[in-house]
Amino acid sequence: MERLIKSDILRHIEFLMSGYDSGYLEIRFINENKKRVFIPLEKYDEERVYSLINRYFNYNVFVGMLPRFEVDGKLGGTRNHLKIGNVMFFDVDEEYDKDKVSEIANNLQINFLRPSLIIASGKGYHLYYKIKEAIDIDTLEAIYQKVAEKLINLGIKIDKQSIDIARAVRLAGTVNWKHVKHCFIHEYSAYEYDVEMIKRMVGAIEVKKREATLRVDLSKKYRELSDKEIESIAIALLPFWKVGHRHNLTFTFASSMKKSGIGAMSVWKIIEKVGLLANDEELYRDRKYCVENVYKNDVSIDRMAGWSTFFDAIRAVIRDNMNSINANDVETLFFTIKKFISKMDNTYKLFLALVMYMNCLLYTSPSPRDRTR
């Protein structure tokens, strides 16, 4: 068996990643071990990428259907790491047959739209549609769902579990080691479709924008804070809203408030206020998810998410703002604070006391309220 089909590998990646000015190509190598690589698109070099994939030829290889973007300086493969897209993927749940697949493509061209790309996956086959211009994820997801419904209505046996905007797809030109068969390109029509044309073909599209309201059970008895308390806490928290720490700080803060019986709505109002003041571009895409996750999951409140990394945020703020003392003094102060808070029982009061203490220590002028304007 030929190890890899180089032309199919490079064509598939180029198909998926064309049309973007930024973002990262995600590649996953999976067998009994797993490895994941992110390659910036502006530095994409097809020979180097092929060399990397060839090195792991005995792995099942998957790539992100859409480019990934950083969240707080960290990359991942979830929906939170998506911003825009121009590709839709459909896994057809039936055995690959060359003649039958070609017939299906012809029928789709008559009754709907011919796929932009068709790949034999080593067992079944995959249909792809390419949009001419990258669009926002919410709109793409809405169109994706409608196209899936259209294909199912036309008798295409789409695996509904495969309808995932953040999906990683099996890479053409590599081996499906589960069935020991190559994954290869059956047809590359290179068709790219206009968004408005697709909308006309599938009917009305309802775009569900990410809401600013929380999707959590509010029936549990938590105390909600007053507007004055929310305002004062947000002002105290704002200096710590540093890039690289905001994700974990949201988890920590929400966990500490939950531990003290404070409701999710109050926590979200605080985080939202801080995020808006700090121009946090991930506010509704990531921070809201963090708050929802803390209040949805019934994990022990004694195991507070992000608590250890909260201290990294404190250390960063100290180092950024206390240039008059040396590094050893910074570490001494940091561990003194850490030892102090480890003896406290009421986490809510502890957190606020710590934040207010750091706030006063680091910023003597102007006042916290003046800084937020």
Side-chain angles (χ1 to χ4, degrees):
M1 175 183 285
E2 184 182 0
R3 282 169 52 125
L4 298 172
I5 307 173
K6 182 178 180 180
S7 59
D8 281 12
I9 289 173
L10 299 180
R11 177 170 286 184
H12 192 189
I13 294 175
E14 201 278 332
F15 170 83
L16 293 173
M17 294 295 112
S18 63
Y20 305 108
D21 296 325
S22 61
Y24 290 77
L25 166 66
E26 178 190 8
I27 307 178
R28 302 179 188 179
F29 302 97
I30 300 173
N31 56 17
E32 65 274 9
N33 300 307
K34 295 181 180 180
K35 180 178 177 62
R36 184 161 64 170
V37 176
F38 294 93
I39 300 171
L41 295 183
E42 60 267 26
K43 295 182 180 179
Y44 176 76
D45 181 297
E46 63 179 25
E47 291 301 325
R48 288 187 177 182
V49 170
Y50 176 73
S51 177
L52 172 67
I53 294 169
N54 190 44
R55 194 184 315 157
Y56 292 93
F57 81 96
N58 58 336
Y59 282 62
N60 290 288
V61 184
F62 299 83
V63 294
M65 179 179 79
L66 303 177
R68 298 350 188 175
F69 292 86
E70 292 180 325
V71 175
D72 265 358
K74 297 178 181 178
L75 287 163
T78 69
R79 192 191 190 283
N80 284 344
H81 296 91
L82 305 179
K83 291 183 179 180
I84 55 176
N86 61 16
V87 170
M88 293 174 285
F89 160 90
F90 302 95
D91 183 7
V92 182
D93 193 15
E94 65 180 11
E95 291 284 338
Y96 171 75
D97 177 273
K98 181 180 178 180
D99 293 335
K100 185 176 181 179
V101 172
S102 295
E103 182 182 351
I104 287 172
N106 291 333
N107 290 335
L108 284 173
Q109 185 166 4
I110 295 170
N111 299 305
F112 180 49
L113 299 169
R114 192 178 192 92
S116 308
L117 176 69
I118 303 175
I119 290 178
S121 65
K123 179 184 180 183
Y125 58 97
H126 302 157
L127 307 179
Y128 290 85
Y129 285 95
K130 183 85 168 180
I131 298 174
K132 286 184 178 179
E133 295 183 359
I135 57 178
D136 71 272
I137 287 301
D138 293 318
T139 302
L140 179 61
E141 193 166 45
I143 294 173
Y144 194 6
Q145 293 292 337
K146 294 292 285 188
V147 172
E149 292 173 12
K150 181 71 173 181
L151 293 174
I152 291 171
N153 290 336
L154 289 172
I156 308 299
K157 297 177 181 179
I158 301 298
D159 179 2
K160 294 182 180 179
Q161 297 298 318
S162 71
I163 309 303
D164 179 2
I165 203 78
R167 188 178 180 88
V169 298
R170 188 177 291 277
L171 181 61
T174 62
V175 178
N176 180 333
W177 288 104
K178 182 177 180 180
H179 302 284
V180 197
K181 291 183 179 180
H182 270 113
C183 178
F184 62 89
I185 294 177
H186 167 88
E187 176 185 294
Y188 180 47
S189 71
Y191 288 140
E192 295 186 1
Y193 296 101
D194 181 75
V195 171
E196 295 305 317
M197 179 184 179
I198 296 176
K199 287 181 179 179
R200 288 195 299 270
M201 299 290 288
V202 300
I205 302 266
E206 181 184 357
V207 179
K208 296 180 180 179
K209 294 289 184 182
R210 291 237 159 169
E211 303 171 353
T213 55
L214 292 181
R215 296 187 296 270
V216 295
D217 180 7
L218 300 177
S219 62
K220 295 183 179 180
K221 293 183 179 179
Y222 289 103
R223 181 172 76 85
E224 299 298 341
L225 301 175
S226 68
D227 290 343
K228 185 176 181 180
E229 287 177 301
I230 289 171
E231 175 77 14
S232 63
I233 296 170
I235 290 172
L237 188 58
L238 182 59
F240 296 89
W241 217 245
K242 300 286 186 179
V243 173
H245 297 290
R246 297 173 298 185
H247 175 83
N248 287 312
L249 187 54
T250 304
F251 266 125
T252 308
F253 182 69
S255 295
S256 66
M257 297 291 259
K258 179 181 178 182
K259 182 180 175 71
S260 296
I262 305 301
M265 289 306 300
S266 293
V267 173
W268 171 240
K269 287 178 181 179
I270 293 167
I271 297 297
E272 185 176 37
K273 188 176 289 292
V274 172
L276 291 173
L277 289 170
N279 295 316
D280 186 349
E281 69 281 0
E282 304 293 343
L283 178 60
Y284 297 109
R285 194 156 59 125
D286 178 75
R287 318 309 174 216
K288 186 169 76 73
Y289 158 79
C290 293
V291 175
E292 288 174 341
N293 191 53
V294 167
Y295 280 86
K296 279 181 179 179
N297 296 331
D298 293 325
V299 296
S300 170
I301 56 178
D302 292 323
R303 295 173 56 237
M304 294 194 306
W307 185 244
S308 62
T309 53
F310 169 56
F311 296 109
D312 293 334
I314 296 174
R315 183 187 277 111
V317 174
I318 294 174
R319 285 178 169 163
D320 286 348
N321 295 277
M322 297 188 69
N323 298 324
S324 60
I325 61 177
N326 63 44
N328 290 332
D329 291 332
V330 169
E331 293 302 310
T332 299
L333 175 60
F334 169 75
F335 285 110
T336 299
I337 294 170
K338 187 172 181 179
K339 183 177 180 180
F340 162 72
I341 68 174
S342 68
K343 297 180 179 179
M344 302 290 287
D345 294 325
N346 190 317
T347 309
Y348 168 54
K349 291 181 180 178
L350 145 69
F351 188 90
L352 292 182
L354 177 61
V355 171
M356 291 305 294
Y357 168 68
M358 295 300 298
N359 195 58
C360 294
L361 181 66
L362 302 179
Y363 303 95
T364 57
S365 179
S367 69
R369 183 174 296 275
D370 289 338
R371 285 200 313 278
T372 65
R373 291 177 180 172

